[in-house]
Amino acid sequence: MARNRFLVATLVALGVILVASAAWIGIRGSLAKAELDHAAPLANAVQHGIAAGKPAEALTASRELSARARNAVDLTGDPIWLAAEAVPWVGDNLAAVRQASEATRVVAERVVAPLTRVASVLDESSFRPSKGVVDLKPITAAQGDLTHAQQALNGARKQVAAIRTSGTIGQISAAITRLGSALDKAAVTVDSVRNGVLLLPLMLGSEAPRNYLLLIQNPAELRASGGIAGALALIHTDHGRISLGTQASTTSFPQFKTPVQTLPAESQGLYGTIAAQYIQNVNLTPRFDLTGSLAREMWRQRFGTTVDGVVAVDPVALGYLLGATGPIQLSSGEELNAGNAVQLLVSETYKRYPDPAAQDAFFARAAAAVFERIAEGRANAASLLRAFAKAGDERRILIWSARDAEQAILTPTTLAGGLPTSTPARAGMGVYLNDATGAKMDYYLHVTVSVASSICRIDGHPNARVTITLKNTAPADAATSLPAYVTGAGDFGVAPGTIRTRVSVYGPVGSLLVATTSNGADFPALSATDGGHAVSQFAVDLAPGKSSQVSVDMLNMGQFTADVYAVVTPALNSRVVKDLVAPCSGTLN
């Protein structure tokens, strides 16, 4: 009887302990959830404070975020909680909450806090030149905090990715997924800022003077990376001081009788040796690293200066920058502003200046005026950064560095102008346009690119279709109403008023070209490869008012999902749309 009473008492005591433990875990779990629920709005408050130029508010929100995250870790890390993680089913949920709390604390203390400190001393004005000089000290001082924040964020991403959610309830698994997505998105921004802060001082001559070749691309005559070289200039940097040096136009360069450097066989097959013989053709290739290398060598042979890199910009980007600098009065009397930059530089100039040398000179003066206004510090800092960011996203500003370590930082960004990249989950395709009219008719070219993908095969590899629609919007009497320099006057075998465009469509690395069609029939095209990318290259002729549509089908062997995107030459009038479904006709089985 005594033994039975002892057993009952023991079971009762154990039950009390279990109930108490469950209550303890329930209460602490509820408190931890409340702390984590505050994390997102506090993180938003930090972001808002930084964006609004209110560092004190951002710092206050950052400190509270850290405190909340520490509380959540403390609430989910005691011995009772850890012991309960061994309980089937319940334990997976508790472990996931604890690990998510730990990752949130890491982000709060080692990512958000240092970034907030950086933002309190480094704002938009820190990147704006003053009397031709950028103060590099605060930018350099921020490098350590940003590097540590990047490393901590990558660690937190790995930590969240390792959380096992297969045995958790839907609410917890969904929260873990949202946390992982938020950290991945944040990593893109942190990487961009950190890389910029590392790269900018070096490019501005923090360790040694630098020279860069500025290539002003004119999209009235398209090239794969944007447009033909309309003007060139040397930019010199030395410990933050920026100055404009030698200026030149395409007429300053002779035809090089032999290629200035050996082209990759694939590039030569697609674009010919002229890419390495004419400054006007260095960007026939969509590989801007190759363009930069070619332009650098041509400048060296012509002027004797070996540059450290090449920067390309177009009139649309200049228009964005003019939105920050305000209107500029040119020495020729014209006002250059955000609203008229494109029309004045790539259309009106050909009516005012019949001489090509005068056209190039006007183009160069306009670009130099914008550069000098920015270098003087006469621009709204926040607007200037937004303009640079917008132009960079649209690939209207491209940068190539001759220094391998710096080029490695640029390579993953849109600034590098590389071929489209792909992952197992997403395919990247490219549509690159080169003028074959030999004139400036692309001011009137309208481009629409649609891209779609569907899984049509048993093996799960997706079929992708890129459809390019080109339209010539020039007036019907373009042959006689437009200047001969604009129409080409038939000098290159193209009737005046007609636009001839050579299109190169790139599939993902390892893809297979299935078909190139127009109106349901095969369309004449060259099938090739470039850097492992399948390529379909073809030419389209358009008389004024006419349009044409060509589709290219690819089989993407590196993916098992239908997610696809396209990189397109930044023409003056271009847009990219994404279809919902790609047809499975023409599938390569």
PDB file of all heavy atoms in Angstrom, residues 2 18 33 42 74 92 99 124 143 154 170 213 219 253 281 284 306 336 345 368 395 413 437 440 480 495 559:
ATOM      1  N   ALA A   2       1.895   1.229   0.827  1.00  0.00           N
ATOM      2  CA  ALA A   2       2.824   2.363   0.889  1.00  0.00           C
ATOM      3  C   ALA A   2       3.481   2.556  -0.464  1.00  0.00           C
ATOM      4  O   ALA A   2       3.694   3.684  -0.927  1.00  0.00           O
ATOM      5  CB  ALA A   2       3.871   2.133   1.970  1.00  0.00           C
ATOM      6  N   LEU A  18       5.452  18.363 -15.445  1.00  0.00           N
ATOM      7  CA  LEU A  18       5.180  18.462 -16.868  1.00  0.00           C
ATOM      8  C   LEU A  18       4.233  19.616 -17.178  1.00  0.00           C
ATOM      9  O   LEU A  18       4.442  20.380 -18.140  1.00  0.00           O
ATOM     10  CB  LEU A  18       4.585  17.155 -17.390  1.00  0.00           C
ATOM     11  CG  LEU A  18       5.548  15.954 -17.441  1.00  0.00           C
ATOM     12  CD1 LEU A  18       4.789  14.686 -17.833  1.00  0.00           C
ATOM     13  CD2 LEU A  18       6.674  16.220 -18.439  1.00  0.00           C
ATOM     14  N   LYS A  33       7.446  35.346 -28.816  1.00  0.00           N
ATOM     15  CA  LYS A  33       6.732  35.733 -30.037  1.00  0.00           C
ATOM     16  C   LYS A  33       6.431  37.225 -30.030  1.00  0.00           C
ATOM     17  O   LYS A  33       6.571  37.914 -31.057  1.00  0.00           O
ATOM     18  CB  LYS A  33       5.436  34.937 -30.155  1.00  0.00           C
ATOM     19  CG  LYS A  33       4.611  35.277 -31.399  1.00  0.00           C
ATOM     20  CD  LYS A  33       3.347  34.457 -31.468  1.00  0.00           C
ATOM     21  CE  LYS A  33       2.542  34.780 -32.734  1.00  0.00           C
ATOM     22  NZ  LYS A  33       2.134  36.198 -32.799  1.00  0.00           N
ATOM     23  N   LEU A  42      10.346  47.547 -36.063  1.00  0.00           N
ATOM     24  CA  LEU A  42      11.536  48.273 -35.612  1.00  0.00           C
ATOM     25  C   LEU A  42      12.585  48.334 -36.722  1.00  0.00           C
ATOM     26  O   LEU A  42      13.242  49.363 -36.919  1.00  0.00           O
ATOM     27  CB  LEU A  42      12.115  47.611 -34.360  1.00  0.00           C
ATOM     28  CG  LEU A  42      11.349  47.871 -33.065  1.00  0.00           C
ATOM     29  CD1 LEU A  42      11.868  46.959 -31.955  1.00  0.00           C
ATOM     30  CD2 LEU A  42      11.463  49.336 -32.651  1.00  0.00           C
ATOM     31  N   ASP A  74      16.890  35.002 -24.855  1.00  0.00           N
ATOM     32  CA  ASP A  74      16.888  34.605 -23.442  1.00  0.00           C
ATOM     33  C   ASP A  74      15.657  33.767 -23.101  1.00  0.00           C
ATOM     34  O   ASP A  74      15.744  32.789 -22.340  1.00  0.00           O
ATOM     35  CB  ASP A  74      16.917  35.853 -22.551  1.00  0.00           C
ATOM     36  CG  ASP A  74      18.244  36.601 -22.644  1.00  0.00           C
ATOM     37  OD1 ASP A  74      19.234  35.993 -23.103  1.00  0.00           O
ATOM     38  OD2 ASP A  74      18.284  37.798 -22.290  1.00  0.00           O
ATOM     39  N   ASP A  92      10.582  20.031 -32.610  1.00  0.00           N
ATOM     40  CA  ASP A  92      10.966  20.674 -33.880  1.00  0.00           C
ATOM     41  C   ASP A  92      10.495  22.124 -33.920  1.00  0.00           C
ATOM     42  O   ASP A  92      11.206  23.015 -34.391  1.00  0.00           O
ATOM     43  CB  ASP A  92      10.364  19.911 -35.063  1.00  0.00           C
ATOM     44  CG  ASP A  92      11.069  18.581 -35.303  1.00  0.00           C
ATOM     45  OD1 ASP A  92      12.201  18.416 -34.807  1.00  0.00           O
ATOM     46  OD2 ASP A  92      10.486  17.711 -35.980  1.00  0.00           O
ATOM     47  N   GLN A  99      16.127  28.943 -32.891  1.00  0.00           N
ATOM     48  CA  GLN A  99      17.137  29.257 -33.903  1.00  0.00           C
ATOM     49  C   GLN A  99      16.791  30.547 -34.654  1.00  0.00           C
ATOM     50  O   GLN A  99      17.685  31.337 -34.984  1.00  0.00           O
ATOM     51  CB  GLN A  99      17.258  28.083 -34.875  1.00  0.00           C
ATOM     52  CG  GLN A  99      17.877  26.844 -34.229  1.00  0.00           C
ATOM     53  CD  GLN A  99      17.677  25.591 -35.064  1.00  0.00           C
ATOM     54  OE1 GLN A  99      16.811  25.538 -35.930  1.00  0.00           O
ATOM     55  NE2 GLN A  99      18.488  24.574 -34.793  1.00  0.00           N
ATOM     56  N   GLU A 124      24.222  60.795 -48.114  1.00  0.00           N
ATOM     57  CA  GLU A 124      24.370  61.061 -49.551  1.00  0.00           C
ATOM     58  C   GLU A 124      25.439  62.102 -49.844  1.00  0.00           C
ATOM     59  O   GLU A 124      26.191  62.001 -50.811  1.00  0.00           O
ATOM     60  CB  GLU A 124      23.035  61.531 -50.148  1.00  0.00           C
ATOM     61  CG  GLU A 124      21.918  60.506 -50.105  1.00  0.00           C
ATOM     62  CD  GLU A 124      21.014  60.721 -48.913  1.00  0.00           C
ATOM     63  OE1 GLU A 124      21.464  61.353 -47.932  1.00  0.00           O
ATOM     64  OE2 GLU A 124      19.862  60.254 -48.948  1.00  0.00           O
ATOM     65  N   GLN A 143      34.395  51.163 -44.051  1.00  0.00           N
ATOM     66  CA  GLN A 143      34.639  49.858 -44.666  1.00  0.00           C
ATOM     67  C   GLN A 143      34.628  48.712 -43.659  1.00  0.00           C
ATOM     68  O   GLN A 143      34.078  47.643 -43.924  1.00  0.00           O
ATOM     69  CB  GLN A 143      35.965  49.887 -45.428  1.00  0.00           C
ATOM     70  CG  GLN A 143      35.945  50.795 -46.648  1.00  0.00           C
ATOM     71  CD  GLN A 143      37.307  50.896 -47.320  1.00  0.00           C
ATOM     72  OE1 GLN A 143      38.323  50.458 -46.784  1.00  0.00           O
ATOM     73  NE2 GLN A 143      37.339  51.502 -48.500  1.00  0.00           N
ATOM     74  N   ASN A 154      25.644  37.136 -43.787  1.00  0.00           N
ATOM     75  CA  ASN A 154      25.786  35.866 -44.500  1.00  0.00           C
ATOM     76  C   ASN A 154      25.733  34.680 -43.530  1.00  0.00           C
ATOM     77  O   ASN A 154      25.173  33.626 -43.849  1.00  0.00           O
ATOM     78  CB  ASN A 154      27.092  35.856 -45.294  1.00  0.00           C
ATOM     79  CG  ASN A 154      27.030  36.758 -46.514  1.00  0.00           C
ATOM     80  OD1 ASN A 154      25.955  37.029 -47.036  1.00  0.00           O
ATOM     81  ND2 ASN A 154      28.176  37.237 -46.964  1.00  0.00           N
ATOM     82  N   GLY A 170       2.524  25.029 -39.805  1.00  0.00           N
ATOM     83  CA  GLY A 170       2.560  25.949 -40.939  1.00  0.00           C
ATOM     84  C   GLY A 170       2.932  27.366 -40.564  1.00  0.00           C
ATOM     85  O   GLY A 170       3.657  28.057 -41.301  1.00  0.00           O
ATOM     86  N   LEU A 213      38.899  55.942 -68.942  1.00  0.00           N
ATOM     87  CA  LEU A 213      38.380  56.374 -70.233  1.00  0.00           C
ATOM     88  C   LEU A 213      36.859  56.442 -70.146  1.00  0.00           C
ATOM     89  O   LEU A 213      36.205  55.447 -69.838  1.00  0.00           O
ATOM     90  CB  LEU A 213      38.806  55.391 -71.325  1.00  0.00           C
ATOM     91  CG  LEU A 213      38.263  55.661 -72.732  1.00  0.00           C
ATOM     92  CD1 LEU A 213      38.674  57.040 -73.223  1.00  0.00           C
ATOM     93  CD2 LEU A 213      38.732  54.576 -73.700  1.00  0.00           C
ATOM     94  N   PRO A 219      22.891  56.060 -78.475  1.00  0.00           N
ATOM     95  CA  PRO A 219      21.942  55.003 -78.869  1.00  0.00           C
ATOM     96  C   PRO A 219      21.162  55.318 -80.141  1.00  0.00           C
ATOM     97  O   PRO A 219      20.321  54.507 -80.554  1.00  0.00           O
ATOM     98  CB  PRO A 219      21.017  54.897 -77.654  1.00  0.00           C
ATOM     99  CG  PRO A 219      21.101  56.242 -77.002  1.00  0.00           C
ATOM    100  CD  PRO A 219      22.483  56.751 -77.247  1.00  0.00           C
ATOM    101  N   PHE A 253      40.242  58.730 -84.139  1.00  0.00           N
ATOM    102  CA  PHE A 253      40.835  57.398 -84.204  1.00  0.00           C
ATOM    103  C   PHE A 253      40.876  56.903 -85.637  1.00  0.00           C
ATOM    104  O   PHE A 253      39.853  56.916 -86.330  1.00  0.00           O
ATOM    105  CB  PHE A 253      40.040  56.408 -83.348  1.00  0.00           C
ATOM    106  CG  PHE A 253      40.168  56.641 -81.877  1.00  0.00           C
ATOM    107  CD1 PHE A 253      39.430  57.631 -81.251  1.00  0.00           C
ATOM    108  CD2 PHE A 253      41.037  55.872 -81.109  1.00  0.00           C
ATOM    109  CE1 PHE A 253      39.541  57.850 -79.882  1.00  0.00           C
ATOM    110  CE2 PHE A 253      41.152  56.081 -79.751  1.00  0.00           C
ATOM    111  CZ  PHE A 253      40.413  57.078 -79.129  1.00  0.00           C
ATOM    112  N   ASN A 281      33.246  50.347 -82.981  1.00  0.00           N
ATOM    113  CA  ASN A 281      32.700  48.985 -82.943  1.00  0.00           C
ATOM    114  C   ASN A 281      33.159  48.161 -81.746  1.00  0.00           C
ATOM    115  O   ASN A 281      32.891  46.962 -81.684  1.00  0.00           O
ATOM    116  CB  ASN A 281      33.068  48.250 -84.238  1.00  0.00           C
ATOM    117  CG  ASN A 281      32.357  48.824 -85.441  1.00  0.00           C
ATOM    118  OD1 ASN A 281      31.201  49.236 -85.346  1.00  0.00           O
ATOM    119  ND2 ASN A 281      33.044  48.882 -86.571  1.00  0.00           N
ATOM    120  N   LEU A 284      30.293  46.238 -80.192  1.00  0.00           N
ATOM    121  CA  LEU A 284      29.417  45.316 -80.920  1.00  0.00           C
ATOM    122  C   LEU A 284      29.126  44.092 -80.065  1.00  0.00           C
ATOM    123  O   LEU A 284      28.032  43.536 -80.099  1.00  0.00           O
ATOM    124  CB  LEU A 284      30.086  44.873 -82.224  1.00  0.00           C
ATOM    125  CG  LEU A 284      30.108  45.858 -83.399  1.00  0.00           C
ATOM    126  CD1 LEU A 284      30.973  45.315 -84.531  1.00  0.00           C
ATOM    127  CD2 LEU A 284      28.701  46.154 -83.903  1.00  0.00           C
ATOM    128  N   THR A 306      47.851  54.580 -70.684  1.00  0.00           N
ATOM    129  CA  THR A 306      47.210  53.314 -70.328  1.00  0.00           C
ATOM    130  C   THR A 306      46.229  53.572 -69.197  1.00  0.00           C
ATOM    131  O   THR A 306      46.628  53.943 -68.089  1.00  0.00           O
ATOM    132  CB  THR A 306      48.248  52.264 -69.886  1.00  0.00           C
ATOM    133  OG1 THR A 306      49.159  52.038 -70.965  1.00  0.00           O
ATOM    134  CG2 THR A 306      47.576  50.958 -69.517  1.00  0.00           C
ATOM    135  N   LEU A 336      20.769  72.720 -71.739  1.00  0.00           N
ATOM    136  CA  LEU A 336      20.666  71.270 -71.631  1.00  0.00           C
ATOM    137  C   LEU A 336      19.987  70.954 -70.312  1.00  0.00           C
ATOM    138  O   LEU A 336      20.445  71.381 -69.242  1.00  0.00           O
ATOM    139  CB  LEU A 336      22.054  70.632 -71.687  1.00  0.00           C
ATOM    140  CG  LEU A 336      22.138  69.107 -71.772  1.00  0.00           C
ATOM    141  CD1 LEU A 336      21.575  68.608 -73.101  1.00  0.00           C
ATOM    142  CD2 LEU A 336      23.582  68.649 -71.611  1.00  0.00           C
ATOM    143  N   LEU A 345      20.635  65.706 -77.949  1.00  0.00           N
ATOM    144  CA  LEU A 345      21.911  65.051 -78.202  1.00  0.00           C
ATOM    145  C   LEU A 345      21.852  64.000 -79.301  1.00  0.00           C
ATOM    146  O   LEU A 345      22.848  63.779 -79.997  1.00  0.00           O
ATOM    147  CB  LEU A 345      22.436  64.417 -76.915  1.00  0.00           C
ATOM    148  CG  LEU A 345      22.823  65.394 -75.807  1.00  0.00           C
ATOM    149  CD1 LEU A 345      23.233  64.637 -74.551  1.00  0.00           C
ATOM    150  CD2 LEU A 345      23.952  66.312 -76.256  1.00  0.00           C
ATOM    151  N   ALA A 368      30.818  66.878 -71.120  1.00  0.00           N
ATOM    152  CA  ALA A 368      31.802  67.524 -70.244  1.00  0.00           C
ATOM    153  C   ALA A 368      31.130  68.504 -69.300  1.00  0.00           C
ATOM    154  O   ALA A 368      31.510  68.627 -68.127  1.00  0.00           O
ATOM    155  CB  ALA A 368      32.862  68.220 -71.088  1.00  0.00           C
ATOM    156  N   ARG A 395      21.411  49.626 -66.976  1.00  0.00           N
ATOM    157  CA  ARG A 395      22.638  49.364 -67.738  1.00  0.00           C
ATOM    158  C   ARG A 395      23.013  50.529 -68.640  1.00  0.00           C
ATOM    159  O   ARG A 395      23.612  50.342 -69.706  1.00  0.00           O
ATOM    160  CB  ARG A 395      22.501  48.067 -68.549  1.00  0.00           C
ATOM    161  CG  ARG A 395      22.392  46.824 -67.664  1.00  0.00           C
ATOM    162  CD  ARG A 395      22.175  45.570 -68.475  1.00  0.00           C
ATOM    163  NE  ARG A 395      22.152  44.399 -67.598  1.00  0.00           N
ATOM    164  CZ  ARG A 395      23.090  43.456 -67.569  1.00  0.00           C
ATOM    165  NH1 ARG A 395      24.119  43.529 -68.384  1.00  0.00           N
ATOM    166  NH2 ARG A 395      23.004  42.430 -66.749  1.00  0.00           N
ATOM    167  N   THR A 413      27.456  42.720 -60.561  1.00  0.00           N
ATOM    168  CA  THR A 413      26.521  43.838 -60.631  1.00  0.00           C
ATOM    169  C   THR A 413      26.126  44.144 -62.073  1.00  0.00           C
ATOM    170  O   THR A 413      26.800  43.752 -63.027  1.00  0.00           O
ATOM    171  CB  THR A 413      27.138  45.099 -60.005  1.00  0.00           C
ATOM    172  OG1 THR A 413      28.178  45.610 -60.873  1.00  0.00           O
ATOM    173  CG2 THR A 413      27.745  44.789 -58.640  1.00  0.00           C
ATOM    174  N   THR A 437      22.586  49.797 -90.195  1.00  0.00           N
ATOM    175  CA  THR A 437      22.228  50.799 -91.192  1.00  0.00           C
ATOM    176  C   THR A 437      23.423  51.673 -91.525  1.00  0.00           C
ATOM    177  O   THR A 437      23.528  52.214 -92.623  1.00  0.00           O
ATOM    178  CB  THR A 437      21.075  51.688 -90.658  1.00  0.00           C
ATOM    179  OG1 THR A 437      20.075  50.877 -90.061  1.00  0.00           O
ATOM    180  CG2 THR A 437      20.456  52.524 -91.769  1.00  0.00           C
ATOM    181  N   LYS A 440      22.114  57.024 -88.052  1.00  0.00           N
ATOM    182  CA  LYS A 440      21.561  57.376 -86.742  1.00  0.00           C
ATOM    183  C   LYS A 440      20.042  57.213 -86.714  1.00  0.00           C
ATOM    184  O   LYS A 440      19.327  57.992 -86.096  1.00  0.00           O
ATOM    185  CB  LYS A 440      21.939  58.824 -86.394  1.00  0.00           C
ATOM    186  CG  LYS A 440      23.439  59.083 -86.338  1.00  0.00           C
ATOM    187  CD  LYS A 440      24.092  58.304 -85.228  1.00  0.00           C
ATOM    188  CE  LYS A 440      25.567  58.645 -85.048  1.00  0.00           C
ATOM    189  NZ  LYS A 440      26.424  58.135 -86.141  1.00  0.00           N
ATOM    190  N   THR A 480      13.838  61.637 -97.522  1.00  0.00           N
ATOM    191  CA  THR A 480      14.134  62.992 -97.993  1.00  0.00           C
ATOM    192  C   THR A 480      14.044  64.053 -96.895  1.00  0.00           C
ATOM    193  O   THR A 480      14.696  65.090 -96.985  1.00  0.00           O
ATOM    194  CB  THR A 480      13.165  63.370 -99.126  1.00  0.00           C
ATOM    195  OG1 THR A 480      11.807  63.212 -98.655  1.00  0.00           O
ATOM    196  CG2 THR A 480      13.383  62.475-100.342  1.00  0.00           C
ATOM    197  N   ALA A 495      18.455  51.129 -97.873  1.00  0.00           N
ATOM    198  CA  ALA A 495      17.707  52.234 -98.477  1.00  0.00           C
ATOM    199  C   ALA A 495      17.473  53.342 -97.449  1.00  0.00           C
ATOM    200  O   ALA A 495      17.159  53.052 -96.287  1.00  0.00           O
ATOM    201  CB  ALA A 495      16.370  51.726 -99.012  1.00  0.00           C
ATOM    202  N   GLN A 559      17.978  24.311 -65.863  1.00  0.00           N
ATOM    203  CA  GLN A 559      16.894  24.633 -64.941  1.00  0.00           C
ATOM    204  C   GLN A 559      15.816  23.559 -64.953  1.00  0.00           C
ATOM    205  O   GLN A 559      15.674  22.803 -65.920  1.00  0.00           O
ATOM    206  CB  GLN A 559      16.245  25.982 -65.322  1.00  0.00           C
ATOM    207  CG  GLN A 559      17.080  27.216 -65.056  1.00  0.00           C
ATOM    208  CD  GLN A 559      18.208  27.390 -66.044  1.00  0.00           C
ATOM    209  OE1 GLN A 559      18.046  27.146 -67.234  1.00  0.00           O
ATOM    210  NE2 GLN A 559      19.377  27.799 -65.554  1.00  0.00           N
TER     211      GLN A 559
END
